[in-house]
Amino acid sequence: MSNSVSHNLLQQNLLQSKINSSGIPANTLLQPKCIHQVPAQPRKSSSLSKKFCGNSLQKPKLAMGSRRPVTFVPCAVLTTDQHSDQLAGKYNLDGNIELQVYVDASSPGSATKVDIQVSYGGDSLVLHWGGIKDRKEKWVLPSRRPDGTKEYKNRALRTPFAKSGSNSVLKIEIDDPAIQAIEFLIVDESQNRWFKNNGGNFHVKLPLEEKLISNVSVPEDLVQIQAYLRWERKGKQMYTPEQEKVEYEAARTELLEEVARGASIQELQARLTKKTDSGNSQEPSHAGNKEVSKAAKKHESKQVFRTGRIKRKQRDLMKILNKHATKPVDEAKLANEESTKPKALKAVELFAKAKEEQDGASVLNKKIYRLGDKDLLVLVTKVADKIKVHLATDIKEPINLHWALSVNKAGEWLEPPPNVLPQGSVSLNGVVETQFVSSSVDSTYEVQSLEIEMQEESFKGMPFVLCSSGNWIKNQRSDFYADFGVAVKKVQKDAGDGKGTAKDLLDKIADLESEAQKSFMHRFNIAADLINQAKDAGELGLAGILVWMRFMATRQLIWNKNYNVKPREISKAQDRLTGLLQNIYTSHPQYRELLRMILSTVGRGGEGDVGQRIRDEILVIQRNCECKGGMMEEWHQKLHNNTSPDDVVICQALIDYIKSDFDIGVYWKTLNKNGITKERLLSYDRAIHNEPSFRADQKERLLHDLGNYMRTLKAVHSGADLESAITNCLGYSAQGQGFMVGVQINPVSGLPSEVPGLLQFVMEHVEDKNVEVLIEGLLEARQELWALLSKPNDRLKDLLFLDIALDSTVRTAIERGYEELNNAGPEKIMYFISMVLENLALSSDDNEDLIYCLKGWNHALNMLKGNTDNWALYAKSILDRTRLALANKAESYHSILQPSAEYLGSKLGVDQQALSIFTEEVIRAGSAASLSALVNRLDPVLRKTANLGSWQVISPVEVVGYVVVVDELLTVQNKVYEKPTILVARSVRGEEEIPDGTVAVLTPDMPDVLSHVSVRARNSKVCFATCFDSNILADLQACEGKLLRVKPTPADVVYSEVNESELGDASSTNSNEDIPALTLVKKQFTGRYAISSDEFTSEMVGAKSRNISYIKGKLPSWVGIPTSVALPFGVFEKVLSEDSNKAVADKLEILKKKLKEGDFGSLGEIRETVLQLTAPPPLVQELKTKMQSSGMPWPGDEGEQRWEQAWLAIKKVWASKWNERAYFSTRKVKLDHDYLCMAVLVQEIINADYAFVIHTTNPSSGDSSEIYAEVVKGLGETLVGAYPGRALSFISKKNALDSPQVLGYPSKPIGLFIRRSIIFRSDSNGEDLEGYAGAGLYDSVPMDAEEEVVLDYSSDPLVTDGNFQKTILSSIARAGSAIEELYGSAQDIEGVIRDGKLYVVQTRPQM
């Protein structure tokens, strides 16, 4: 978009519309011609011998450095005499209200007087106004003001009109010579009624006095640029020599006028040529074409990257780290709270409801229009063969309806037949006037209404306007229209309650959709009006705008209906909307990813002539190429009426058709491939009926002109078009001869010096078959731009559109390059993955995980190039983590976008299929889809190289059962299957229970081998395995309902279909009947609230505490044991029996009774009730004494709040007796839940570098000669809890403990870390019972919250340093061996590593 002078001042109007600075939107331009023009004085010595060559404007010769005085007489615009008080404009504001503006600067040096008269009888008329300086749109507030003037929000002045008979008058005097114009609106404050200039501001230019500018001339290179702008603005026409002279001098005059207004030559040069990256202005050329051409060639010779490949910089990837993460859960809660606030129905809504219930009719059309602070209801219903039109308004003044009917097309005015006229109607020259009637006195609402009834004939609708107190009321400058033709689309799915959306905003969008359908201008302006509400609603609000805009972009909504709009008005509306989005992008960085997606659906737009060129240039093409009839004329009419993104496709179809030597099949192929059918062409308001037909001799000229025209179309409609985005940021360069060679127009300032060359390289390689070098160039350009995108910039949205285009080109290049990878080795596929991952990271808000994945891939590539052992195993872990990152991104998109898509789409009647796949299609449009495809291609290569096979067997049990496919194991964990069941579950988190009747769980998910669900599967003799092959998994899913035999080995799973006769005893189920009841002995309070580790006995604590006490002092000195104390069995029951807790005890008894009756929802209530307990003083004192005597810190020493934190943690441990997983687990084994008692083991937390779990017998193979262990970074909760990804796993032969073998590298993205603190561990009498593993069912609660940290394994020595890895893993294996030897049986051990020191925190028999 150009910041050029849009029109010669000698041709500009006095009153014109702009996007104003007062916050009042302006949508249209009114440009009356100047009625007095004073030509510039002729230049006697100028030789204008040059001419336009081809399509380029030639400059006249001028002796270098010559200067001359120029007498400049600017036009006193729309004033016939500078020394008289002249009428400057006369306008009809609304009905019979007339505005007249007079401007007078009668004496030199005196103030300019502006006299404003309005034929309006109200007493509360106010002028809302400000001044304009230096071509800027922001209003200044003059110091000289009429009496009664007040400042309005520091943005405008408000001056009351005075009464003069039946008129309102106001005089303003401007004495500041820097003020070039005033802008204003008129408002009746009592009615909040605004009078605008066709929707915009009134703009009054103030006249200049005659000036003599001595010894001033404008440099010829600036005149050249200004002339080029004029030539481009006018469609690059062919000029005669005489026209050329006029145009060239007109360009000079424009610049001299700016000088006359105070602009310096330096300011002109800065605006037209900008500055170089070094900060020095470009040297103006006065030496003619030869010098300019040389400069252009010199500039071209400096371009870099013209070789076959660029050299990418070595970059610190952390510099593109972006942690701007939103909090969708909180915002969803807030939005939901807002959406559930009760709203009182408006009067017209109550009226509509009553009419709908009264008639029992089907609703054909229903719309409520906002008229200032009042409403107008239009309700069209159908009963039998009759159509009824109900109109109602809460306007108090008498109001008349002027109306007609439409028969042939929407919007036509035909006089209605007499039999449909309501009583009291009057026919007036083809239209009917009917007065509204007030509702009855006893009505619950006060409205005026009327009803029109007619037989269903051939009427299409009813156009109308309203008249009240002599004022005409229209619908946004056009007629209202009630459509009879099509009933409101039936909502295919209940829109629901809008939970998880910005419901208020979406409701408003749905209400405004019928207005938005008029044109893109209306839609973009409505979106701009709503954008602040969307921003205030946070992430979900902007998601709502994105969903709406994407419905538009994918043609789910009507683009144009009954409204003609100029391309420049669409462009201006786009520019307004994208400008607001740019501002939010700067001020709210956490929403940038959503804002980029919105921008890509809207297109760039632009002020000035960008949109208007769509209209102008098609006329030039028709004239130059002699194609004024047929399809080209129909397209021309569509372009003038309402241009849309379809025009980009039509233009491309024409180019393809011409290139194919006029093969009409090619034309239709391009159209159809992009969703444009013959029916769609015919559906336009200006339909396209004909196919193109050109002569052979027109081919070259058509290709040239349509190619240029395509750039214009894309500049307005396509936010992701690379060529137009580059041109827009670098500026325009002439493509021909003459003075414009090499001239840049309006480039973005401050671009890194490498960017122009990189973009040139990209354009030179954009169609290369070998896409690798192209993608490198694209990414290098994006990296160079990245820093600029986080800084305020008045051209930020142009940079954003360039970055969006580069991002999009990476995706298309990858898709084009799939064939290139068909026979590629792993190194090339991994390199492509790293490039696409880099592209995704550059476009993402919260990209920390993506960056660490990218660093991992770079490390894997270095391992591969260096022939490092285990490179494929390491790469597989990065691949698994990348998949998790993609899944998280998909889930995030789904939670943010899908509820809004379904709610808004249902209200708008969008196709149900489009709604169901909305988020999926959004993801497919981004780099994540390309990355997923590349990862899937690499996965089998890595598994084969690393000898991983297609399965990891966690619990090797041969079974027979019926296949059942589920989405998540969590959703069925409490279910009971009557038949032996093989569950194929897409998601297994790691902490679930295995349902009764389940004999096998097969999943593509990757729970740790030592996770709760894995341990539970082995204990219950349930087959459990992870499948890495998507084809095998799909085959298993296709076997749903069939009876299969599953036979696992340590590295593979074989399955086959069997007959029911083979079921027999081949498979055992873990149903209740197979499990003997276990008994517990209820523990009693021993009179001790706290005990030290040397007092731990089976009567007082569970096995967890006793084992820690037992191993203390019996292990090698290099194995540390944390200091421990405990709250023994019975303490909870004792606390509950205290008088201070009687209310809690009574409530618990009620809830436990409900639980026994089968009300499982009471479990959560029980846990909440336990947290209400108060601590008896003896408990506090005893615990303090035991902790201090054992050398542990006492939380209360840091203040009462710290003790309260500790007490809350203790209560959470007790309350975990009633968590769902534990409760249902005890029911399965028929444990008496009332007999289950909970001791609390208290230990000081060791803030671990690493945590580990050891099984001293390999749990997958049952091999007792080898130790199996898993290690995570940070605390061990990520290993045993529901944290996705895999731990580092290894085995070690007991006869070779110093030679550990890594089985898998870590892929967990999150690690947990904590400050120095205390942890309270559950230690029940229901853990470690023979035949039942209760460990892990109950909670261990730290006093302080853990911090989640995104992990970077590429700098973790456990992964990257072989010697460090061997030391740590060997010490873990040796500790496991020592503990097993101490107990004489296989052990399940938990521990941590801190600063190289190993600590064991608990051990139990391995189940």
Side-chain angles (χ1 to χ4, degrees):
M1 64 208 78
S2 173
N3 288 339
S4 63
V5 181
S6 297
H7 296 86
N8 189 329
L9 259 176
L10 300 180
Q11 297 171 326
Q12 282 184 349
N13 55 289
L14 178 65
L15 293 166
Q16 64 181 354
S17 172
K18 304 176 75 176
I19 291 182
N20 66 62
S21 57
S22 60
I24 309 296
N27 297 331
T28 53
L29 296 170
L30 178 66
Q31 298 179 328
K33 292 198 174 183
C34 182
I35 58 176
H36 181 63
Q37 297 180 353
V38 182
Q41 297 297 315
R43 304 176 69 252
K44 295 180 181 179
S45 62
S46 175
S47 175
L48 300 175
S49 59
K50 293 292 177 183
K51 62 181 181 179
F52 289 98
C53 297
N55 283 344
S56 296
L57 184 63
Q58 302 295 306
K59 73 172 186 134
K61 288 185 178 178
L62 181 68
M64 183 170 153
S66 64
R67 306 168 70 88
R68 61 185 59 76
V70 178
T71 301
F72 172 60
V73 185
C75 172
V77 187
L78 289 188
T79 303
T80 54
D81 186 343
Q82 287 187 336
H83 301 288
S84 61
D85 193 15
Q86 290 294 324
L87 177 66
K90 183 176 180 180
Y91 292 88
N92 187 298
L93 296 185
D94 197 349
N96 58 359
I97 301 175
E98 189 174 83
L99 164 69
Q100 298 182 43
V101 182
Y102 298 83
V103 178
D104 176 33
S106 54
S107 57
S110 65
T112 299
K113 299 180 179 64
V114 180
D115 188 355
I116 303 173
Q117 299 180 12
V118 185
S119 60
Y120 188 76
D123 295 326
S124 54
L125 208 62
V126 170
L127 189 76
H128 181 93
W129 66 289
I132 298 292
K133 287 184 179 181
D134 300 326
R135 301 161 55 90
K136 295 178 181 176
E137 293 182 353
K138 185 176 181 180
W139 288 4
V140 296
L141 308 183
S143 58
R144 184 168 179 173
R145 308 167 182 178
D147 292 341
T149 299
K150 297 180 180 178
E151 289 193 13
Y152 179 77
K153 297 183 178 180
N154 295 320
R155 295 203 307 256
L157 298 177
R158 284 196 170 180
T159 304
F161 280 79
K163 294 291 295 180
S164 177
S166 61
N167 293 339
S168 298
V169 298
L170 176 62
K171 294 182 183 293
I172 297 174
E173 294 186 352
I174 303 296
D175 59 359
D176 183 350
I179 294 180
Q180 303 163 0
I182 67 167
E183 285 189 350
F184 64 87
L185 298 162
I186 299 172
V187 58
D188 185 337
E189 289 189 319
S190 66
Q191 299 184 31
N192 192 28
R193 185 179 180 190
W194 293 83
F195 297 100
K196 303 179 184 180
N197 179 22
N198 288 317
N201 293 345
F202 295 98
H203 184 89
V204 180
K205 287 194 167 86
L206 303 182
L208 293 174
E209 299 176 31
E210 180 175 325
K211 295 183 180 180
L212 180 67
I213 307 175
S214 302
N215 299 319
V216 173
S217 66
V218 179
E220 290 301 297
D221 63 330
L222 301 187
V223 180
Q224 294 163 15
I225 296 175
Q226 189 71 4
Y228 177 84
L229 290 171
R230 290 175 56 84
W231 173 63
E232 184 186 53
R233 189 164 64 236
K234 294 187 176 184
K236 302 181 180 179
Q237 302 175 24
M238 301 290 287
Y239 288 137
T240 64
E242 196 57 37
Q243 288 173 320
E244 172 195 333
K245 295 176 184 178
V246 172
E247 282 295 308
Y248 201 86
E249 284 307 306
R252 187 189 307 281
T253 302
E254 286 182 336
L255 298 180
L256 289 172
E257 286 173 348
E258 292 193 55
V259 173
R261 290 191 180 276
S264 68
I265 298 299
Q266 289 74 20
E267 288 171 335
L268 292 180
Q269 190 163 27
R271 178 174 64 80
L272 291 172
T273 66
K274 298 295 179 185
K275 293 184 177 182
T276 64
D277 292 318
S278 63
N280 299 319
S281 299
Q282 295 173 345
E283 286 294 326
S285 170
H286 302 285
N289 292 346
K290 185 175 180 180
E291 286 76 7
V292 177
S293 298
K294 285 180 179 178
K297 290 179 180 177
K298 183 177 180 182
H299 174 74
E300 182 175 326
S301 68
K302 287 184 178 180
Q303 296 300 314
V304 293
F305 309 130
R306 287 195 175 271
T307 59
R309 194 169 201 142
I310 64 167
K311 183 176 180 180
R312 295 212 60 189
K313 291 182 180 178
Q314 293 295 318
R315 299 180 185 273
D316 179 3
L317 292 174
M318 299 308 293
K319 289 187 176 179
I320 63 168
L321 178 65
N322 188 348
K323 289 188 177 183
H324 295 301
T326 56
K327 298 178 180 179
V329 173
D330 293 343
E331 292 182 5
K333 180 180 178 182
L334 176 63
N336 195 45
E337 288 172 355
E338 289 294 322
S339 69
T340 55
K341 291 178 182 177
K343 296 181 181 178
L345 292 177
K346 300 177 182 178
V348 295
E349 291 174 326
L350 289 167
F351 178 88
K353 182 180 179 184
K355 289 298 178 184
E356 291 174 44
E357 293 173 351
Q358 171 188 318
D359 290 347
S362 61
V363 176
L364 296 181
N365 201 341
K366 180 181 177 181
K367 173 68 179 175
I368 296 177
Y369 296 92
R370 192 72 177 155
L371 308 177
D373 60 346
K374 304 298 182 184
D375 295 301
L376 169 67
L377 165 74
V378 180
L379 175 65
V380 183
T381 62
K382 180 181 177 183
V383 181
D385 59 346
K386 291 184 178 180
I387 289 177
K388 288 186 179 182
V389 182
H390 303 276
L391 295 105
T393 180
D394 54 355
I395 294 174
K396 305 297 183 186
E397 295 79 11
I399 188 165
N400 290 328
L401 176 75
H402 284 250
W403 62 286
L405 292 172
S406 300
V407 175
N408 297 312
K409 61 180 181 179
E412 68 177 345
W413 287 68
L414 299 176
E415 185 171 359
N419 64 326
V420 305
L421 303 186
Q423 186 175 357
S425 298
V426 179
S427 293
L428 301 170
N429 299 323
V431 299
V432 173
E433 180 179 282
T434 305
Q435 186 168 358
F436 279 69
V437 179
S438 296
S439 62
S440 58
V441 177
D442 61 350
S443 173
T444 57
Y445 40 78
E446 296 181 8
V447 298
Q448 297 186 75
S449 64
L450 60 84
E451 179 181 307
I452 301 170
E453 182 178 308
M454 65 200 76
Q455 293 290 324
E456 183 186 12
E457 297 177 1
S458 56
F459 299 121
K460 288 183 175 293
M462 185 182 88
F464 66 92
V465 294
L466 305 176
C467 185
S468 177
S469 303
N471 298 319
W472 293 100
I473 302 173
K474 294 188 172 186
N475 178 25
Q476 301 273 336
R477 298 183 294 110
S478 61
D479 300 336
F480 294 99
Y481 186 75
D483 194 347
F484 305 165
V486 180
V488 174
K489 279 187 179 180
K490 183 180 179 182
V491 174
Q492 297 134 321
K493 179 182 177 182
D494 179 18
D497 58 4
K499 185 177 181 181
T501 73
K503 183 175 181 294
D504 288 349
L505 174 69
L506 300 188
D507 287 341
K508 189 172 289 187
I509 288 173
D511 290 342
L512 293 169
E513 175 57 29
S514 60
E515 180 73 10
Q517 290 176 356
K518 289 183 176 179
S519 72
F520 282 112
M521 179 193 76
H522 289 81
R523 190 176 298 280
F524 293 145
N525 276 327
I526 290 170
D529 292 340
L530 295 175
I531 204 68
N532 277 333
Q533 181 180 347
K535 176 193 68 178
D536 293 341
E539 182 179 53
L540 295 177
L542 294 171
I545 296 292
L546 170 60
V547 166
W548 187 37
M549 290 294 102
R550 189 166 174 85
F551 283 159
M552 171 205 72
T554 55
R555 301 191 181 101
Q556 299 292 336
L557 304 176
I558 295 173
W559 281 4
N560 174 244
K561 187 177 183 182
N562 306 323
Y563 202 90
N564 296 343
V565 63
K566 299 171 184 175
R568 71 165 175 264
E569 292 174 332
I570 296 176
S571 179
K572 185 177 180 180
Q574 282 176 289
D575 192 55
R576 178 185 170 217
L577 174 57
T578 54
L580 292 170
L581 293 170
Q582 166 188 275
N583 295 340
I584 300 173
Y585 187 95
T586 301
S587 61
H588 293 71
Q590 68 270 35
Y591 304 138
R592 285 176 177 173
E593 190 169 348
L594 276 173
L595 292 164
R596 287 172 62 94
M597 295 165 75
I598 298 172
L599 285 167
S600 68
T601 66
V602 172
R604 183 179 298 105
E607 278 283 16
D609 65 349
V610 178
Q612 184 58 30
R613 290 208 320 255
I614 291 178
R615 293 175 74 130
D616 296 342
E617 290 180 16
I618 190 63
L619 293 171
V620 175
I621 293 172
Q622 287 184 286
R623 182 175 63 250
N624 289 347
C625 301
E626 299 176 353
C627 52
K628 296 183 179 180
M631 177 267 171
M632 289 296 285
E633 178 58 26
E634 291 172 338
W635 188 33
H636 160 227
Q637 291 300 325
K638 179 204 177 296
L639 289 161
H640 272 236
N641 179 55
N642 219 308
T643 183
S644 71
D646 279 5
D647 295 313
V648 177
V649 180
I650 293 171
C651 188
Q652 186 61 54
L654 288 172
I655 291 171
D656 293 346
Y657 161 69
I658 296 165
K659 284 182 177 178
S660 70
D661 288 330
F662 310 107
D663 181 348
I664 198 64
V666 172
Y667 169 77
W668 286 109
K669 181 179 179 181
T670 299
L671 290 179
N672 294 335
K673 184 172 68 174
N674 291 280
I676 298 181
T677 62
K678 179 175 273 189
E679 290 72 24
R680 184 165 182 82
L681 294 175
L682 293 173
S683 73
Y684 301 140
D685 275 6
R686 297 292 189 270
I688 298 177
H689 299 86
N690 292 299
E691 294 179 335
S693 179
F694 304 116
R695 301 191 312 269
D697 64 318
Q698 297 172 303
K699 181 175 181 178
E700 295 305 320
R701 187 59 189 257
L702 277 167
L703 286 175
H704 175 269
D705 287 2
L706 286 172
N708 288 333
Y709 193 50
M710 176 67 90
R711 285 190 280 274
T712 298
L713 289 170
K714 286 181 175 180
V716 172
H717 291 303
S718 177
D721 174 61
L722 183 60
E723 184 178 1
S724 64
I726 290 175
T727 300
N728 202 51
C729 287
L730 296 187
Y732 300 83
S733 297
Q735 303 295 323
Q737 303 174 358
F739 72 91
M740 282 311 300
V741 171
V743 175
Q744 288 186 314
I745 300 174
N746 201 29
V748 174
S749 61
L751 287 175
S753 58
E754 296 90 343
V755 167
L758 285 166
L759 296 179
Q760 179 183 342
F761 175 87
V762 164
M763 290 310 298
E764 289 173 354
H765 293 81
V766 75
E767 295 182 358
D768 285 3
K769 186 175 181 181
N770 179 358
V771 299
E772 185 175 322
V773 295
L774 168 63
I775 297 170
E776 290 174 336
L778 290 163
L779 291 174
E780 196 67 15
R782 292 199 69 193
Q783 288 277 10
E784 291 292 336
L785 290 172
W786 194 86
L788 295 181
L789 300 180
S790 59
K791 299 175 183 176
N793 188 313
D794 60 352
R795 298 284 300 279
L796 176 60
K797 69 178 177 181
D798 294 329
L799 293 171
L800 283 170
F801 277 119
L802 174 57
D803 190 59
I804 289 168
L806 293 167
D807 177 12
S808 176
T809 308
V810 171
R811 298 196 304 269
T812 55
I814 285 291
E815 290 164 7
R816 196 168 77 241
Y818 282 152
E819 185 178 347
E820 186 179 330
L821 298 177
N822 282 342
N823 299 311
E827 182 177 345
K828 184 156 191 172
I829 301 174
M830 288 164 65
Y831 182 52
F832 268 66
I833 287 174
S834 70
M835 290 194 293
V836 180
L837 189 53
E838 180 182 356
N839 193 58
L840 183 60
L842 286 166
S843 304
S844 298
D845 280 344
D846 187 11
N847 65 4
E848 188 173 13
D849 192 19
L850 297 174
I851 286 175
Y852 294 149
C853 287
L854 178 55
K855 292 179 73 174
W857 283 112
N858 291 341
H859 184 65
L861 277 165
N862 290 333
M863 290 176 70
L864 171 58
K865 292 173 184 177
N867 293 318
T868 307
D869 292 341
N870 285 345
W871 72 264
L873 202 60
Y874 175 77
K876 181 64 169 68
S877 71
I878 303 302
L879 184 146
D880 292 340
R881 180 172 180 175
T882 304
R883 274 186 169 149
L884 284 173
L886 291 174
N888 289 338
K889 196 164 192 66
E891 289 172 10
S892 172
Y893 276 9
H894 194 275
S895 65
I896 294 166
L897 299 179
Q898 194 64 28
S900 294
E902 291 180 2
Y903 182 77
L904 181 61
S906 294
K907 291 184 77 73
L908 299 181
V910 173
D911 177 68
Q912 187 60 41
Q913 175 65 15
L915 295 185
S916 64
I917 62 171
F918 180 87
T919 304
E920 182 181 341
E921 289 301 312
V922 171
I923 294 168
R924 284 179 179 174
S927 294
S930 302
L931 182 57
S932 179
L934 291 171
V935 164
N936 289 340
R937 181 172 292 203
L938 180 64
D939 191 13
V941 177
L942 293 181
R943 283 192 282 108
K944 182 178 180 180
T945 306
N947 299 313
L948 292 177
S950 300
W951 293 88
Q952 179 178 19
V953 178
I954 297 170
S955 176
V957 181
E958 182 177 348
V959 296
V960 174
Y962 293 93
V963 176
V964 173
V965 179
V966 298
D967 193 47
E968 296 181 342
L969 181 61
L970 185 67
T971 61
V972 297
Q973 66 174 349
N974 297 325
K975 190 170 181 177
V976 176
Y977 290 100
E978 299 300 328
K979 298 179 180 179
T981 299
I982 297 170
L983 287 178
V984 180
R986 181 189 67 82
S987 171
V988 176
R989 298 170 58 187
E991 62 177 1
E992 301 91 339
E993 286 296 310
I994 295 174
D996 283 350
T998 302
V999 296
V1001 178
L1002 308 177
T1003 178
D1005 222 334
M1006 298 174 289
D1008 290 305
V1009 172
L1010 301 184
S1011 66
H1012 173 81
V1013 71
S1014 301
V1015 172
R1016 189 69 69 230
R1018 289 191 291 268
N1019 292 343
S1020 304
K1021 302 297 185 286
V1022 171
C1023 176
F1024 189 25
T1026 293
C1027 178
F1028 298 114
D1029 191 316
S1030 59
N1031 294 323
I1032 295 175
L1033 191 70
D1035 186 58
L1036 279 167
Q1037 291 169 334
C1039 292
E1040 185 164 22
K1042 295 180 179 179
L1043 185 65
L1044 298 186
R1045 179 183 297 276
V1046 175
K1047 186 175 182 179
T1049 66
D1052 198 7
V1053 172
V1054 178
Y1055 59 92
S1056 59
E1057 189 172 356
V1058 296
N1059 298 321
E1060 288 194 8
S1061 60
E1062 297 184 44
L1063 184 58
D1065 296 325
S1067 174
S1068 64
T1069 72
N1070 61 339
S1071 63
N1072 286 344
E1073 290 74 14
D1074 299 323
I1075 300 173
L1078 299 175
T1079 58
L1080 290 174
V1081 177
K1082 191 168 185 178
K1083 303 294 184 178
Q1084 302 297 322
F1085 179 61
T1086 61
R1088 305 282 299 279
Y1089 282 104
I1091 57 176
S1092 59
S1093 59
D1094 56 5
E1095 300 173 287
F1096 291 174
T1097 68
S1098 61
E1099 292 301 313
M1100 304 187 78
V1101 293
K1104 187 182 297 182
S1105 300
R1106 298 198 308 274
N1107 287 334
I1108 282 294
S1109 176
Y1110 177 73
I1111 63 175
K1112 193 172 184 179
K1114 297 182 178 68
L1115 293 176
S1117 59
W1118 53 267
V1119 178
I1121 307 295
T1123 303
S1124 305
V1125 300
L1127 281 72
F1129 293 138
V1131 172
F1132 167 71
E1133 290 76 10
K1134 175 62 176 174
V1135 171
L1136 188 61
S1137 68
E1138 296 285 335
D1139 291 342
S1140 60
N1141 291 316
K1142 185 176 186 308
V1144 175
D1146 291 344
K1147 186 176 180 180
L1148 276 178
E1149 285 303 314
I1150 295 171
L1151 292 172
K1152 285 158 71 175
K1153 184 178 179 182
K1154 289 171 62 178
L1155 180 61
K1156 287 182 178 179
E1157 293 171 351
D1159 182 2
F1160 301 128
S1162 59
L1163 285 167
E1165 294 181 73
I1166 292 174
R1167 294 196 298 274
E1168 288 299 318
T1169 303
V1170 170
L1171 300 186
Q1172 297 169 19
L1173 290 169
T1174 58
L1179 182 152
V1180 180
Q1181 186 56 48
E1182 283 192 40
L1183 182 60
K1184 176 180 179 180
T1185 301
K1186 286 298 180 184
M1187 290 180 69
Q1188 289 179 333
S1189 64
S1190 299
M1192 296 174 67
W1194 169 243
D1197 288 344
E1198 299 178 56
E1200 183 63 24
Q1201 181 185 359
R1202 293 291 287 164
W1203 159 246
E1204 290 298 332
Q1205 284 179 253
W1207 175 236
L1208 179 62
I1210 291 168
K1211 290 186 289 185
K1212 285 182 177 180
V1213 174
W1214 285 336
S1216 70
K1217 172 180 174 179
W1218 288 275
N1219 73 52
E1220 283 78 5
R1221 187 160 58 92
Y1223 181 78
F1224 288 114
S1225 181
T1226 57
R1227 277 167 55 91
K1228 286 181 183 180
V1229 295
K1230 302 176 183 177
L1231 269 177
D1232 188 335
H1233 194 261
D1234 288 339
Y1235 277 43
L1236 191 135
C1237 295
M1238 186 74 69
V1240 180
L1241 176 63
V1242 185
Q1243 293 179 322
E1244 187 172 3
I1245 288 182
I1246 299 165
N1247 190 9
D1249 299 323
Y1250 305 100
F1252 60 83
V1253 173
I1254 307 169
H1255 277 200
T1256 58
T1257 292
N1258 189 328
S1260 296
S1261 64
D1263 188 347
S1264 61
S1265 70
E1266 58 188 25
I1267 289 172
Y1268 176 88
E1270 293 181 340
V1271 187
V1272 295
K1273 196 167 177 62
L1275 299 178
E1277 181 59 26
T1278 60
L1279 182 56
V1280 297
Y1283 286 82
R1286 282 277 177 81
L1288 183 148
S1289 59
F1290 72 95
I1291 59 171
S1292 182
K1293 291 291 184 182
K1294 292 176 181 175
N1295 60 3
L1297 294 174
D1298 289 328
S1299 301
Q1301 178 188 346
V1302 174
L1303 301 180
Y1305 284 92
S1307 61
K1308 288 184 180 292
I1310 297 296
L1312 296 179
F1313 296 86
I1314 198 169
R1315 55 171 283 185
R1316 186 187 182 194
S1317 186
I1318 303 294
I1319 189 168
F1320 301 88
R1321 299 183 185 274
S1322 59
D1323 190 22
S1324 77
N1325 62 339
E1327 299 181 42
D1328 303 322
L1329 297 174
E1330 187 175 352
Y1332 172 67
L1337 290 176
Y1338 307 102
D1339 295 343
S1340 294
V1341 184
M1343 193 174 83
D1344 296 283
E1346 304 101 329
E1347 178 188 3
E1348 288 193 355
V1349 176
V1350 183
L1351 299 175
D1352 177 10
Y1353 294 113
S1354 67
S1355 58
D1356 183 357
L1358 189 64
V1359 173
T1360 62
D1361 185 334
N1363 291 330
F1364 180 85
Q1365 180 189 93
K1366 182 178 179 180
T1367 299
I1368 295 297
L1369 300 190
S1370 295
S1371 67
I1372 292 172
R1374 285 188 284 114
S1377 178
I1379 293 172
E1380 182 185 56
E1381 186 176 340
L1382 176 64
Y1383 278 95
S1385 62
Q1387 294 291 299
D1388 174 355
I1389 305 161
E1390 295 181 21
V1392 298
I1393 304 287
R1394 173 69 180 178
D1395 296 330
K1397 171 78 172 175
L1398 184 146
Y1399 297 84
V1400 171
V1401 298
Q1402 68 181 61
T1403 183
R1404 64 174 69 90
Q1406 179 178 334
M1407 302 295 290

